[in-house]
C-alpha cells in the first residue's frame, strides 16, 4: 500500500480579541491526563505534542502528533466532561490555554473564525485518520519517512527550529510503533541515499526526496 504524504492542517489566524495563558513546557511533560476534567482548549504556538490513549486493560498507544498551529482538547466545546487522551510534549513547547467559555464566545461572535475552526478540525481529523491507516497497513520504513516529513513541516517557520535536533531515535520509534534498532537502520539507509543529512550542529536536515520512500 502506498503511504500517504503527511497532510498539512489548516492554520487559523485568530483576531486579537482571543486571549489565553501561554505556558512553556519542557520535553516529556504531561499537559493533561486522560480522565481529567476537560475545561480548556489548547493551541500550540511552538513545539510538538503527542496524544496518548490508554485502554481499560492498561495498554497505551499513540493516537497522533500535533505541532505548531494545532489545537487539542477542543472536545470541551462540545460538552465532554473529561479528556479522552493524555497530551504530552515531545520537545520544548509553548501552549496557549484558552478557557472553554472564551473559545465558545469567540466562535459565536466571529462567524469567519467558526468556519475556519471547523475546516481546521476536519483537516486535522483526516490527518490523524491517515496516521492510523499508516500504522495499520504500511511498513515501518514508510511510517518513519512520513513521520520525518511531518516533523520537518512543523519545524519550518518555527521561532526555535530545533525540533528535528531534539527528537531522538527512541522517540521516532515510539512515533511509528517499532524499535530503536529498526529506526537506526532506516535512518542510515536514508542518509546513504541522500534523503537526509546530519549537519555540523548535530541536527537533522530532511530533503523533499525522502518522499520517494512513500511511492
Amino acid at each position: 500500500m502506498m503511504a500517504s504524504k503527511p497532510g498539512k492542517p489548516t492554520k487559523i489566524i485568530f483576531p486579537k480579541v482571543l486571549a489565553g495563558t501561554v505556558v512553556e513546557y519542557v520535553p516529556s511533560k504531561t499537559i493533561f491526563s486522560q480522565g481529567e476534567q476537560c475545561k480548556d482548549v489548547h493551541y500550540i504556538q511552538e513545539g510538538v505534542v503527542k496524544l496518548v490513549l490508554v485502554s481499560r486493560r492498561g495498554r497505551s498507544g499513540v493516537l497522533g502528533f500535533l505541532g505548531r498551529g494545532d489545537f487539542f482538547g477542543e472536545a470541551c466545546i462540545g460538552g465532554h466532561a473529561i479528556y479522552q487522551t493524555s497530551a504530552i510534549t515531545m520537545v520544548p513547547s509553548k501552549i496557549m490555554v484558552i478557557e472553554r467559555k472564551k473559545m465558545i464566545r469567540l466562535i459565536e461572535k466571529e462567524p469567519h473564525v467558526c468556519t475556519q475552526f471547523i475546516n481546521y478540525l476536519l483537516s486535522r481529523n483526516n490527518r490523524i485518520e491517515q496516521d492510523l491507516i499508516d500504522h495499520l497497513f504500511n511498513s515501518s520504513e514508510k511510517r518513519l519517512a512520513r513521520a520525518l516529513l511531518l516533523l520537518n513541516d512543523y519545524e519550518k517557520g518555527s521561532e526555535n527550529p530545533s525540533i528535528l535536533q531534539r527528537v531522538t531515535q527512541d522517540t521516532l520509534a515510539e512515533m511509528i510503533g517499532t524499535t530503536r534498532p529498526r529506526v537506526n537502520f532506516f535512518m542510515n539507509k536514508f542518509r546513504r541515499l541522500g534523503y537526509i543529512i546530519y549537519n555540523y550542529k548535530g541536527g537533522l536536515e530532511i530533503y523533499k526526496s525522502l518522499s520517494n520512500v512513500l511511492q
Side-chain angles (χ1 to χ4, degrees), residues 5-6 68 73 93 95 140 149 175 183 194-195 197 201 210 214:
K5 294 183 180 180
R68 186 171 183 264
S93 303
I95 310 297
S140 53
L149 289 167
M175 288 179 70
V183 168
Y195 296 156
I197 64 168
K201 294 182 180 179
L210 180 60
L214 306 181

Side-chain angles (χ1 to χ4, degrees), residues 11-208:
K11 307 301 181 184
I12 300 178
I13 301 175
F14 282 106
K16 294 181 180 179
V17 293
L18 178 64
T21 302
V22 177
V23 183
E24 296 189 17
Y25 292 92
V26 297
S28 302
K29 184 68 175 179
T30 299
I31 300 170
F32 57 72
S33 298
Q34 182 177 337
E36 287 184 356
Q37 183 180 2
C38 183
K39 58 182 180 179
D40 298 309
V41 179
H42 297 74
Y43 176 75
I44 304 175
Q45 289 188 335
E46 292 290 335
V48 178
V49 172
K50 64 180 177 181
L51 302 180
V52 179
L53 180 67
V54 179
S55 70
R56 292 181 179 180
R57 295 184 178 181
R59 296 185 61 182
S60 64
V62 178
L63 182 63
F65 296 86
L66 303 174
R68 186 171 183 264
D70 280 321
F71 289 86
F72 58 99
E74 72 281 347
C76 66
I77 297 176
H80 283 225
I82 61 174
Y83 290 116
Q84 302 299 307
T85 64
S86 296
I88 304 170
T89 59
M90 293 177 57
V91 298
S93 303
K94 290 183 181 179
I95 310 297
M96 177 180 284
V97 182
I98 309 161
E99 293 180 6
R100 173 180 175 274
K101 290 182 179 179
K102 289 184 179 180
M103 192 67 188
I104 292 175
R105 188 160 55 246
L106 175 65
I107 291 173
E108 290 176 343
K109 290 185 177 181
E110 302 284 350
H112 69 287
V113 172
C114 180
T115 300
Q116 285 182 301
F117 190 63
I118 291 172
N119 288 337
Y120 162 78
L121 291 177
L122 291 172
S123 176
R124 199 276 310 278
N125 288 345
N126 179 67
R127 195 185 77 224
I128 290 180
E129 182 179 281
Q130 292 300 320
D131 287 343
L132 291 174
I133 292 173
D134 200 39
H135 272 269
L136 288 172
F137 298 109
N138 286 313
S139 66
S140 53
E141 181 179 11
K142 288 185 177 181
R143 296 200 304 270
L144 177 58
R146 190 170 182 273
L148 290 171
L149 289 167
L150 179 62
L151 290 172
N152 193 51
D153 283 338
Y154 282 144
E155 184 170 273
K156 291 177 181 177
S158 173
E159 293 177 2
N160 183 23
S162 60
I163 292 174
L164 289 169
Q165 183 175 345
R166 293 176 179 273
V167 174
T168 66
Q169 291 192 0
D170 286 321
T171 300
L172 289 171
E174 181 182 19
M175 288 179 70
I176 66 172
T178 189
T179 63
R180 185 184 182 283
R182 291 293 288 169
V183 168
N184 184 61
F185 173 81
F186 290 126
M187 292 293 280
N188 286 331
K189 178 180 178 180
F190 295 162
R191 182 172 54 81
R192 289 196 305 270
L193 292 172
Y195 296 156
I196 65 173
I197 64 168
Y198 292 96
N199 60 38
Y200 68 95
K201 294 182 180 179
L204 183 65
E205 294 184 25
I206 308 295
Y207 294 119
K208 291 183 179 180

